[in-house]
Amino acid sequence: MLDPRKLHLLRELARRGTIAAVAEAVMFTPSAVSQQLSALEREAGVPLLERTGRTVTLTPAGHLLVEHAQAVLEQLERASAALAAVRGGPSGPLRIGAFPTAARVLLPSALAALSRAHPALEPMVSEIDPADVSAALRAGELDIALVHEYDFVPPVTDPSMETEPLFSEPMYLTDRPSLGAARDDPWITNKPGTLCHTMAIRACQAAGFEPRVRHHVDDFDTVLAFAAAGHGVALVPRLAALSPPPGVTLTELPLSRRTLAAFRRGYGDHPAVRAAVAAFHTALTETTP
């Protein structure tokens, strides 16, 4: 019988590439991860890993087992969700991840809605970049998360994660009537490696120029403060621009950011997840015009 916990480690190895990275993600020692994977090979009866020095790669049988592991782990999530529904209403800890804008604008109202509807739930919020959400969900560090995707940026895909759309919002340009009019301005963008930064760069490229980035700032309130002080132009989503500072003009562009709820595949029918999604929708009606 194959152990699901060991299958989880094999799937993480396929995602992360090294035993050290898997060990860090699951808070094991590398030696413990190696021992568990060796035990899984014995259970499977075929070599799953090929070791060359310090490098470990999956064999064809290893890749095949990862595909089946995803289906097995998804069914276990469905079973967990079904059992939770039988036990009654949502209760206990609910670990929620959110990007900063959503945490500031939506979550206060969402948490209040959760408290009213399900007082036995114990929501715990962590700010997280959407690019890190799938790994946190797989590791069991989060139960549900708010993520976003932008025009010009391919969405993050992970077969172990599924999403449910919540809302779409337009993007605004500060202090200029069009992207083309901002080609010679200094720019304020989020830090490289974030979806927001990639979107800004590609939107400018689509308009025919390479932006001259002067400042890298992740917090949109700070971005708008910089723009108000004349330190550059920026692209900001509507959720971050509900109350712009004096002196900032905003031009709506034909670009959008979409926010989604993300959770482990198979876990979407868990009562706590459904309660959180309902609370997100309630918060949207209370906080956005």
Side-chain angles (χ1 to χ4, degrees):
M1 180 74 69
L2 299 176
D3 185 341
R5 292 169 296 183
K6 299 185 184 78
L7 292 176
H8 171 71
L9 293 178
L10 185 69
R11 183 182 67 175
E12 287 303 299
L13 180 61
R15 294 269 187 273
R16 298 175 186 272
T18 68
I19 286 178
V22 174
E24 181 178 1
V26 301
M27 293 184 290
F28 284 6
T29 65
S31 175
V33 172
S34 292
Q35 291 172 16
Q36 291 292 303
L37 291 174
S38 295
L40 180 62
E41 284 187 300
R42 291 193 295 272
E43 293 171 5
V46 294
L48 303 175
L49 307 176
E50 184 175 347
R51 298 169 176 84
T52 305
R54 295 185 177 182
T55 302
V56 176
T57 57
L58 269 64
T59 65
H63 284 290
L64 178 65
L65 186 55
V66 167
E67 294 179 14
H68 288 283
Q70 178 55 48
V72 169
L73 295 171
E74 179 180 340
Q75 284 301 113
L76 289 174
E77 295 288 4
R78 294 186 190 281
S80 175
L83 289 173
V86 169
R87 286 195 297 267
S91 63
L94 174 66
R95 295 159 297 181
I96 303 171
F99 54 94
T101 313
R104 177 173 58 84
V105 179
L106 292 180
L107 283 190
S109 293
L111 295 180
L114 271 176
S115 179
R116 291 192 301 268
H118 306 287
L121 265 182
E122 302 170 15
M124 299 179 292
V125 174
S126 299
E127 280 195 0
I128 186 170
D129 188 274
D132 299 324
V133 161
S134 62
L137 288 171
R138 290 197 313 272
E141 297 166 1
L142 297 175
D143 299 308
I144 187 170
L146 291 170
V147 298
H148 56 57
E149 57 187 39
Y150 288 97
D151 292 344
F152 296 117
V153 184
V156 176
T157 58
D158 184 334
S160 68
M161 182 179 81
E162 56 184 327
T163 58
E164 183 170 327
L166 293 175
F167 68 99
S168 178
E169 59 187 315
M171 298 296 298
Y172 293 90
L173 174 66
T174 63
D175 299 322
R176 291 292 182 267
S178 67
L179 277 174
R183 67 173 57 245
D184 296 323
D185 290 300
W187 275 76
I188 312 160
T189 72
N190 299 83
K191 288 186 294 189
T194 62
L195 300 179
C196 307
H197 176 269
T198 302
M199 174 275 302
I201 298 301
R202 292 181 179 175
C204 292
Q205 291 170 341
F209 67 97
E210 196 73 30
R212 182 165 53 91
V213 179
R214 179 173 294 176
H215 306 291
H216 292 110
V217 179
D218 280 341
D219 179 72
F220 280 117
D221 282 346
T222 307
V223 168
L224 287 169
F226 273 42
H231 297 310
V233 298
L235 293 174
V236 296
R238 183 187 187 197
L239 210 61
L242 297 176
S243 301
V248 173
T249 61
L250 298 171
T251 299
E252 183 174 336
L253 299 178
L255 303 173
S256 65
R257 180 174 81 167
R258 293 163 295 281
T259 294
L260 312 94
F263 35 83
R264 290 184 295 279
R265 189 169 294 280
Y267 204 61
D269 288 331
H270 193 286
V273 170
R274 299 320 313 161
V277 171
F280 296 153
H281 283 292
T282 298
L284 284 169
T285 64
E286 294 177 350
T287 59
T288 57

